[in-house]
Amino acid sequence: MEILWFLIAMAMLAAVIGPFVMRRRHVGIQQVAPGSPDAADPQSYGFLRQEELDIRLPGPDQDLLDVLDVVQRTQDWRAAAQLLSGTPKEGEVRWQRVQAFAGAASLELQEKPGVGGAWLRAWRSESPKDAGGAQVHAEFLVQQAWRSSTVGSDDFRIILEEARTVCGEAALLGPGDPVPYIVELAVARGLGYPHEQFDQLWAKVIDRAPEHMGAHLAALRYWSEKWHGSRAEADHFATTSAARAPRGSLLASLPLFAVHEHMPDLVMVQGFYQTAVVSKAMEGALYAVHSARADDPMLAHVRHLLILFLVRSERWAEAMHQLVRVDGHVGAVPWTESSDPAAEYTVYRNLAVAGYEANGGSPATLSH
């Protein structure tokens, strides 16, 4: 019996590491010592070193980074308020900036309990009618609930109830702005809104921003089987949204996010990443990326998820074409699901480089 359990364990281990160690025999990838002449060098493609990767954002937003630096250095909230006041309600950028400011305050508080994030408290007390401050405060509470308490605990629910109240205040201060309702989507997931109540909230979101990718990703999580839906309901939501999306919309990539949301921790089926469901979702995401505007602020999110699937599918050249367009920023799913996003991203980047070169690729053959 012990031998049987040993063989089962070895089979499971092989299923996990096999795809990354034993490639096709005629173009196999083998691990070599760092510095070996045969070692693939990601830096030869212009990629940043792991310690230089920015884990705060999925892609560049220099205005945001400059303001974050000022706010955290001076603890003065006014630069943040000015940036948000000049950021249009329409589109994704305002939502991303609200998340970034809230995340910065939350991490400050975690690092310096009772002191960190004082600029956000000052913002709310000194300018209580500022819509941007209320939105950041609501998102801050949501992030605090997940970061500082156990899901389902009394503390968790109390913080999210407060977040819901602040979402209501923010909605009154910024009529027509979808952000307060998008923040509440996470509250709905945490507090377990019944489906009918969630549908009412969702109607408010799409009435204001029918093609908002960030909102759709938040809603998709609610409908997943991990939370308050099922695999079928999440797939239906993703495929329906993708089918209704106009050309150029990244909503066509939603089915790939649905696949990722329901991926088992251990994939035991050989060729899982070549199955029809996964392949179709990947092609939809690639189509979305190719047809989207080059300046779409959600484009980097889709590229990052594609990298994971393309690497696991051994589509090395396609993975490299995505990597050269996002390298430098790794603050996106799937890397942020790891305790060390930069390290997780770097593993996949190195695999892509090794696979690309094992199949005859080089820096000279990779177009940017």
Side-chain angles (χ1 to χ4, degrees):
M1 181 62 73
E2 292 181 357
I3 293 177
L4 177 60
W5 283 114
F6 173 77
L7 292 174
I8 292 173
M10 291 301 293
M12 292 176 67
L13 182 61
V16 176
I17 68 173
F20 301 111
V21 178
M22 296 296 291
R23 302 294 174 188
R24 299 181 182 89
R25 292 183 179 179
H26 64 287
V27 290
I29 298 176
Q30 299 180 357
Q31 185 174 1
V32 297
S36 165
D38 295 325
D41 182 9
Q43 290 189 51
S44 64
Y45 294 86
F47 294 145
L48 297 183
R49 295 192 300 271
Q50 179 178 325
E51 60 271 21
E52 296 175 323
L53 296 170
D54 192 325
I55 65 173
R56 296 171 294 178
L57 300 173
D61 184 344
Q62 196 57 49
D63 289 341
L64 172 62
L65 294 178
D66 291 343
V67 169
L68 269 174
D69 178 64
V70 170
V71 169
Q72 294 188 301
R73 180 165 39 82
T74 66
Q75 291 295 297
D76 189 335
W77 54 270
R78 289 175 179 80
Q82 183 177 6
L83 181 65
L84 282 185
S85 67
T87 305
K89 298 176 183 177
E90 302 78 16
E92 311 277 348
V93 175
R94 185 179 180 87
W95 166 232
Q96 292 190 16
R97 288 175 172 177
V98 165
Q99 286 183 298
F101 285 130
S106 181
L107 288 174
E108 278 187 33
L109 185 60
Q110 185 179 43
E111 294 169 359
K112 300 178 181 179
V115 179
W119 55 269
L120 178 55
R121 293 190 291 275
W123 188 355
R124 289 292 283 141
S125 63
E126 295 172 19
S127 186
K129 300 298 183 182
D130 183 69
Q135 292 171 8
V136 173
H137 184 201
E139 174 63 17
F140 165 81
L141 291 168
V142 167
Q143 295 192 29
Q144 277 297 104
W146 260 274
R147 186 171 281 127
S148 65
S149 55
T150 303
V151 174
S153 66
D154 288 343
D155 286 347
F156 180 79
R157 296 189 65 85
I158 289 170
I159 297 173
L160 286 185
E161 289 286 2
E162 183 181 355
R164 176 160 60 180
T165 299
V166 179
C167 284
E169 296 173 3
L172 292 175
L173 292 170
D177 194 327
V179 169
Y181 301 103
I182 298 173
V183 176
E184 193 178 347
L185 292 174
V187 175
R189 178 163 56 90
L191 293 180
Y193 282 18
H195 289 182
E196 182 178 356
Q197 185 179 1
F198 184 85
D199 287 339
Q200 293 170 355
L201 172 61
W202 182 241
K204 295 176 182 177
V205 174
I206 60 174
D207 183 54
R208 292 162 175 80
E211 298 172 25
H212 199 289
M213 182 69 176
H216 279 78
L217 291 176
L220 178 63
R221 297 198 70 187
Y222 172 91
W223 288 114
S224 73
E225 65 182 3
K226 299 175 187 176
W227 291 96
H228 309 294
S230 64
R231 185 186 301 264
E233 287 172 307
D235 287 344
H236 175 73
F237 174 81
T239 55
T240 301
S241 299
R244 293 173 179 170
R247 178 176 174 79
S249 170
L250 288 171
L251 292 178
S253 67
L254 275 179
L256 187 64
F257 284 88
V259 169
H260 178 258
E261 189 71 25
H262 293 91
M263 278 175 54
D265 294 331
L266 180 61
V267 177
M268 297 296 291
V269 179
Q270 187 174 11
F272 171 80
Y273 295 96
Q274 286 77 37
T275 60
V277 171
V278 176
S279 296
K280 184 177 179 181
M282 289 175 62
E283 294 309 317
L286 286 166
Y287 167 81
V289 164
H290 292 152
S291 60
R293 300 189 332 269
D295 62 347
D296 191 313
M298 291 299 291
L299 189 55
H301 286 269
V302 183
R303 291 192 190 279
H304 280 291
L305 188 61
L306 268 170
I307 289 166
L308 179 140
F309 279 90
L310 290 169
V311 168
R312 290 188 177 182
S313 300
E314 302 182 17
R315 295 166 63 169
W316 313 116
E318 291 172 282
M320 291 295 289
H321 283 294
Q322 301 303 323
L323 281 162
V324 296
R325 289 163 173 80
V326 299
D327 193 73
H329 297 85
V330 296
V333 170
W335 324 123
T336 51
E337 296 174 338
S338 165
S339 59
D340 190 343
E344 185 78 3
Y345 167 83
T346 302
V347 167
Y348 279 84
R349 187 180 67 184
N350 290 350
L351 285 169
V353 171
Y356 183 63
E357 294 191 353
N359 284 271
S362 70
T365 62
L366 183 64
S367 61
H368 286 64

